[in-house]
Amino acid sequence: MSLVPSVESKTLGVAEAALTLTALNADSVVLQVTGTFTGTITFEASVDGTNYVALAMKASSQTTATTLVSTTTTVGVFSLNIQGLPNFRARMSAYTDGSAVVTASLARSNK
């Protein structure tokens, strides 16, 4: 289980490689994707830790909160409120070349 707050990182350089987080105590996740790669990273969530489905996140390059993406093919920063969502991952769903470094920061608000 990931401690909150926490930062974890993983290099995704093959198809199906994933940074997977158990985030039971987190309110939000922020992802930074860096590197040089040709592929698609899909953002996914799961309640049971086994069956993952696509999850839309806000790209920092977007100017409105209503523009969400569930995949990326480029570097960037992505964020989402994940309160109550215990399992999250960023998965290289399609891969051609290079490697992406995905760094995730989990946080909990002080309410």
Side-chain angles (χ1 to χ4, degrees):
M1 179 183 328
S2 301
L3 299 176
V4 177
S6 72
V7 175
E8 296 186 37
S9 186
K10 185 168 183 178
T11 299
L12 310 181
V14 297
E16 299 305 315
L19 170 63
T20 303
L21 304 168
T22 301
L24 291 173
N25 297 316
D27 290 335
S28 64
V29 62
V30 176
L31 290 181
Q32 181 175 16
V33 178
T34 60
T36 303
F37 65 98
T38 303
T40 301
I41 297 172
T42 300
F43 311 126
E44 299 173 316
S46 172
V47 173
D48 63 11
T50 301
N51 301 294
Y52 282 82
V53 296
L55 179 70
M57 299 184 76
K58 182 181 182 304
S60 64
S61 61
Q62 300 300 321
T63 58
T64 65
T66 58
T67 305
L68 302 174
V69 296
S70 59
T71 65
T72 186
T73 58
T74 62
V75 299
V77 175
F78 307 87
S79 61
L80 182 67
N81 177 341
I82 60 167
Q83 190 171 16
L85 197 57
N87 301 288
F88 173 84
R89 74 181 178 190
R91 178 178 59 90
M92 185 70 80
S93 56
Y95 175 80
T96 302
D97 188 43
S99 61
V101 177
V102 179
T103 303
S105 174
L106 295 173
R108 179 173 49 213
S109 61
N110 293 326
K111 295 178 186 179

